[in-house]
Structures are given as structure tokens and as C-alpha cells.
């Protein structure tokens, strides 16, 4: 059987060179600069962000590079290394939501979102080169929108990219682009990770809307090497789509449940249940107040997943790797059974990782395809990835691709 493919990150110098060359070929001039933003892996806390919950992403070393030059008119032109001869063009003047089709909606939508908020952003030319696997659940879309937001902030002198609090304005533009221009539901986890993560840290993101940008994140130590661990991320290559209605349906179900329970969001339920003298009884009472089994299952996942995030942070801080792995496993099982967002490729990959020595394994991202992560001892990632690839071959699945998930830095200017 074929060896599993490991995807290496593009080094900064190579990324700058490749994206600059693409820009010059497409537009016949030099860009004003090059920026990049990372994909992300969410360690735990899935489908909690839009329920005002907790999540714990890290930024990947795998990044999307953008070469950009502002224009004096309102025309936006974008090109990607994937289709270097196809330039997507749109006029920002009069542009409406869903007014751009295909992948170009993501970067062009960022400029549209900034203009909708009153910022003096005009047209631009941009080229993209990326090593974040597309459709993998590792947030290639946020890497694109966040790199675009940082580039536009820089060339138009908006002044938000240099501080953590300021970056929240750019994050909101990236979210608006994905939700309203591209039509892909997203709660903000991916964009916050891409813009706010730090090297060797996991970003504990508290999504309660009443918190300020300085209150809603904290950096948690996540140094794998110090603990002689590796985090294997494996793209199953099962198609990953968030704009086919499944994600939006679950989000709507959670919002309806909160309305029935007479709370602003499910975070209120999660906090109340955990503060109760008997949280198991409190959870049962909460679920009993809901009208159907599907809604009960969705709510059960959200409230228990929020608590798993807290427990994982505590376990890793205390070097309790066995407990951290158990929480990975519990998270995946909940996503499979209660939230029903896994597919056979995800479940098989998780099972093989568990049976081959992983402390724990779980799907990461929105689900319905995409990637898994597995916490393994140092030096074992390739072996475990190969075991998964061999099982995929036996079952006739697409060959998976793997990468090393190392907690890396956020979006930045490179040239």
C-alpha cells in the first residue's frame, strides 16, 4: 500500500516568492506587500462558538499567503495558484450580499464587509498561494479571509491589525464575508484562531457576546514537545461542506432550544447545569423541557462539550495526558451520536488511531467530512497515519493526507 502523504508547511520565504510571482504574472506589476494567515485545528469545543460557549483552537504552521496592491477605483480582482489563469473580478461599488460566486466571494467579501461598516476601502488586486488543505476542516476559508483583512487594513491605513483588540474588527469583517457573501455559516472560532493565536499556546476562546475583546480570550500553554507528544492532524479527504444546510440546521435547532428554555443562548444552560448541586439531574431536567429527541441530543452535546473544554485545559495544565485523551474521545463520541456530524471516514480514522496507541482522537472542525486529530507519543504520528491510510485503502476510501499540528503564530505581514 502507498505511503501516506504528509503535507509540509510553506516556509515564509517560499510563500512570498511564489505568491509574488503569481501576482506579477496575473497583473503585470509588483504587489505592495505580502501577508499570510494560518489555518487552525480546534483541540476541543466543537459547535460551541455559536452557542456562546468555549473552544480551544491552535493556529497551524500551514498558511495562506496573499500578495495585494490597492487600486484607485472600486474594482477587485483576485487570482489563486489553483487556477492561475482565471481572475475573478467584481465591482465593490453597489455590491450586495451573495453578489460574488465561487471562491472569490471570500476575499472580495472582506472588502465589501469593511465598506459596509463605513471604512474607506477601495478596490484591490490580490493573488493567493496556500498550503492549508482545501475542504479539510482546517479552515482554509478563514486563512483566506483573515489574510485579506490584514492586508486591506495595512494598505488602507485602517489601523486595526497591530493590536489584539483591534484585530477583532478585522475578524468581524472576515466573519461577515463568510456568512453573508459566501453563504457559509461560521461562528467566529476559525477567524479568532487565525488572527489571535500564539506559538506554543492554545487560544481559550469564550464566545459570550457580552465579553469585550480583551476579556474573551486567554492563552493556554500547549507545548507538545515539552510533554513528548505529537498532535497528528489527518485530512480524511471526505468532502467537507458547511454551506449545504447541515451546519445551519444545527445552529437553528440550538437557537430554537434556547428560546424554548427561555435563555439567551445555550451557554446559560451549560453554566447553570455545572453550578447545580447535582449536574446530572440538572441536565436531565433541562433536556426534559425540550419537545423532541433530536433537539435533546443537540443540546446535550453543546452543554457537555463546553464542560469538556474546561476539563481539557485543566488536564493539560496538570500534565494529565490520559485525561486529555479521554476528553478527546468523549468529544468525538458526542459529535457522532448526539450532534450527528461525523461521516464513516472520520469515525474509521478515529477508531484506528485509538486502537494504535493514541491517547485520544476526535474529529475537528464542522464535520460532515474534513479532518481528525489524535494525541500520540512523540515519533508516532507517521506510524498512526499510515495505519489509518492502510485501513482507508481496504475500505475503498480516498487516500488521506496528514500533517503535524504544531501550535503556531497568527496572521502577519511577510514582505
Amino acid at each position: 500500500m502507498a505511503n501516506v502523504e504528509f503535507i509540509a508547511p510553506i516556509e515564509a520565504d517560499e510563500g512570498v516568492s511564489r505568491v509574488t510571482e503569481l501576482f506579477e504574472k496575473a497583473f503585470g506589476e509588483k504587489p505592495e506587500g505580502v501577508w499570510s494567515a494560518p489555518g487552525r485545528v480546534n483541540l476541543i469545543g466543537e459547535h460551541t462558538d455559536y452557542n456562546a460557549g468555549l473552544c480551544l483552537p491552535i493556529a497551524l504552521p500551514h498558511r495562506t499567503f496573499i500578495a495585494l496592491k490597492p487600486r484607485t477605483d472600486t474594482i477587485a480582482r483576485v487570482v489563486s495558484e489553483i487556477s492561475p489563469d482565471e481572475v475573478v473580478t467584481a465591482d465593490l461599488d453597489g455590491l450586495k450580499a451573495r453578489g460574488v460566486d465561487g471562491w472569490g466571494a471570500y476575499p472580495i467579501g472582506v472588502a465589501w464587509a469593511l465598506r459596509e461598516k463605513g471604512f474607506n476601502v477601495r478596490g484591490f488586486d490580490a493573488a493567493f498561494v496556500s498550503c492549508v488543505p482545501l475542504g479539510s476542516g482546517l479552515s482554509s476559508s478563514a486563512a483566506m479571509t483573515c489574510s485579506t483583512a490584514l492586508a486591506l487594513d495595512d494598505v488602507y491605513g485602517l489601523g486595526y491589525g497591530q493590536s489584539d483588540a483591534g484585530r477583532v474588527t478585522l475578524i468581524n469583517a472576515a466573519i461577515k464575508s463568510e456568512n453573508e457573501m459566501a453563504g457559509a455559516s461560521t461562528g467566529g472560532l476559525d477567524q479568532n484562531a487565525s488572527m489571535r493565536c500564539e506559538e506554543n499556546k492554545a487560544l481559550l476562546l469564550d464566545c459570550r457576546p457580552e465579553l469585550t475583546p480583551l476579556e474573551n480570550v486567554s492563552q493556554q500553554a500547549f507545548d507538545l514537545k515539552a510533554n513528548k507528544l505529537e498532535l497528528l492532524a489527518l485530512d480524511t479527504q471526505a468532502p467537507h461542506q458547511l454551506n449545504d444546510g447541515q451546519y445551519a440546521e444545527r445552529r437553528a435547532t440550538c437557537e430554537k432550544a434556547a428560546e424554548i428554555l427561555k435563555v439567551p443562548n445555550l451557554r446559560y444552560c451549560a453554566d447553570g447545569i455545572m453550578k447545580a448541586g447535582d449536574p446530572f439531574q440538572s441536565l436531565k431536567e433541562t433536556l426534559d423541557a425540550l419537545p423532541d429527541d433530536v433537539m435533546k441530543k443537540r443540546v446535550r452535546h453543546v452543554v457537555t462539550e463546553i464542560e469538556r473544554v474546561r476539563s481539557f485545559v485543566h488536564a493539560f495544565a496538570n500534565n494529565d495526558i490520559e485525561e486529555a485523551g479521554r476528553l478527546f474521545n468523549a468529544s468525538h463520541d458526542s459529535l457522532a451520536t448526539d450532534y450527528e456530524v461525523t461521516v464513516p471516514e472520520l469515525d474509521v480514522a478515529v477508531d484506528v488511531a485509538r486502537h494504535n496507541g493514541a491517547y485520544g482522537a476526535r474529529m475537528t472542525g464542522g464535520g460532515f467530512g474534513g479532518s481528525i486529530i489524535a494525541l500520540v507519543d512523540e515519533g508516532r504520528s507517521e506510524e498512526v497515519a499510515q495505519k489509518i491510510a492502510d485501513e482507508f485503502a481496504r475500505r475503498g476510501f480516498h487516500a488521506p493526507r496528514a500533517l503535524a499540528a504544531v501550535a503556531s503564530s497568527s496572521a502577519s505581514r511577510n514582505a
Side-chain angles (χ1 to χ4, degrees):
M1 296 182 181
N3 290 335
V4 66
E5 177 190 1
F6 260 78
I7 303 169
I10 299 173
E11 296 296 333
D13 289 348
E14 181 188 353
V16 170
S17 176
R18 279 166 56 180
V19 78
T20 300
E21 181 180 343
L22 176 61
F23 185 96
E24 291 173 351
K25 180 181 176 183
F27 304 117
E29 55 185 340
K30 292 186 180 297
E32 183 161 317
V34 174
W35 299 257
S36 66
R40 65 92 189 93
V41 157
N42 189 32
L43 297 176
I44 197 164
E46 223 64 78
H47 290 277
T48 56
D49 54 350
Y50 54 83
N51 288 297
L54 299 169
C55 36
L56 192 69
I58 61 172
L60 290 169
H62 300 71
R63 302 172 78 88
T64 292
F65 292 84
I66 176 176
L68 183 142
K69 185 173 184 177
R71 296 171 61 96
T72 57
D73 57 19
T74 56
I75 300 298
R77 299 189 298 175
V78 295
V79 66
S80 166
E81 190 178 47
I82 295 172
S83 301
D85 297 321
E86 298 177 14
V87 177
V88 179
T89 302
D91 191 341
L92 299 174
D93 191 21
L95 186 61
K96 304 293 185 185
R98 306 305 297 272
V100 182
D101 294 328
W103 74 270
Y106 290 89
I108 294 171
V110 174
W112 166 80
L114 289 169
R115 286 167 62 90
E116 288 285 293
K117 289 295 184 183
F119 293 111
N120 184 26
V121 171
R122 297 179 297 282
F124 63 95
D125 293 333
F128 293 91
V129 166
S130 182
C131 61
V132 184
L134 298 177
S136 61
L138 301 176
S139 203
S140 57
S141 56
M144 176 172 281
T145 56
C146 289
S147 59
T148 304
L150 190 63
L152 291 172
D153 175 79
D154 215 348
V155 299
Y156 283 114
L158 305 184
Y160 291 98
Q162 302 308 308
S163 70
D164 181 62
R167 285 189 171 206
V168 175
T169 296
L170 305 183
I171 288 167
N172 290 336
I175 294 169
K176 185 178 178 71
S177 173
E178 294 203 41
N179 285 344
E180 299 180 30
M181 185 60 72
S185 294
T186 177
L189 181 161
D190 303 343
Q191 297 80 8
N192 272 279
S194 193
M195 293 290 270
R196 305 178 79 182
C197 277
E198 296 179 6
E199 192 172 343
N200 290 325
K201 300 288 179 65
L203 187 79
L204 180 58
L205 177 63
D206 189 327
C207 300
R208 286 177 293 173
E210 62 267 27
L211 298 182
T212 71
L214 296 179
E215 295 172 330
N216 73 346
V217 299
S218 62
Q219 303 289 342
Q220 304 292 325
F222 192 70
D223 189 341
L224 292 163
K225 195 169 185 63
N227 287 279
K228 297 183 178 178
L229 296 170
E230 290 176 351
L231 186 68
L232 167 67
L234 184 129
D235 174 13
T236 65
Q237 297 226 65
H240 172 81
Q241 295 287 336
L242 291 185
N243 58 359
D244 63 356
Q246 295 275 6
Y247 182 105
E249 178 185 314
R250 279 154 181 76
R251 184 169 183 163
T253 298
C254 291
E255 290 168 355
K256 181 64 176 175
E259 185 181 316
I260 291 168
L261 294 168
K262 296 182 171 56
V263 292
N265 51 60
L266 294 183
R267 174 65 177 277
Y268 276 77
C269 295
D271 288 351
I273 288 166
M274 289 307 126
K275 289 175 183 174
D278 184 347
F280 293 104
Q281 179 62 28
S282 183
L283 175 59
K284 181 180 183 303
E285 291 170 359
T286 297
L287 299 179
D288 285 347
L290 299 172
D292 64 77
D293 289 341
V294 169
M295 187 175 284
K296 292 176 197 289
K297 291 198 297 183
R298 305 296 187 254
V299 171
R300 181 166 56 214
H301 166 72
V302 171
V303 298
T304 57
E305 184 79 348
I306 290 170
E307 185 56 26
R308 280 189 286 271
V309 177
R310 292 190 180 102
S311 298
F312 184 90
V313 169
H314 183 265
F316 207 89
N318 287 279
N319 299 314
D320 190 347
I321 307 306
E322 296 283 351
E323 174 65 4
R326 187 195 71 77
L327 291 162
F328 266 23
N329 290 338
S331 173
H332 182 85
D333 294 346
S334 178
L335 287 158
T337 303
D338 280 347
Y339 226 64
E340 299 179 287
V341 294
T342 67
V343 294
E345 290 91 336
L346 291 169
D347 293 330
V348 168
V350 162
D351 286 344
V352 172
R354 291 176 182 176
H355 284 110
N356 283 278
Y359 292 96
R362 61 180 293 274
M363 60 150 274
T364 187
F368 308 109
S371 296
I372 69 130
I373 52 175
L375 192 61
V376 300
D377 284 322
E378 196 171 50
R380 294 213 60 224
S381 286
E382 289 193 28
E383 177 190 348
V384 173
Q386 189 61 54
K387 293 282 190 182
I388 296 170
D390 292 346
E391 183 61 26
F392 273 33
R394 279 191 285 272
R395 291 172 179 258
F397 294 163
H398 293 301
R401 300 176 295 177
L403 53 87
V406 180
S408 302
S409 57
S410 63
S412 62
R413 183 165 186 164
N414 300 101

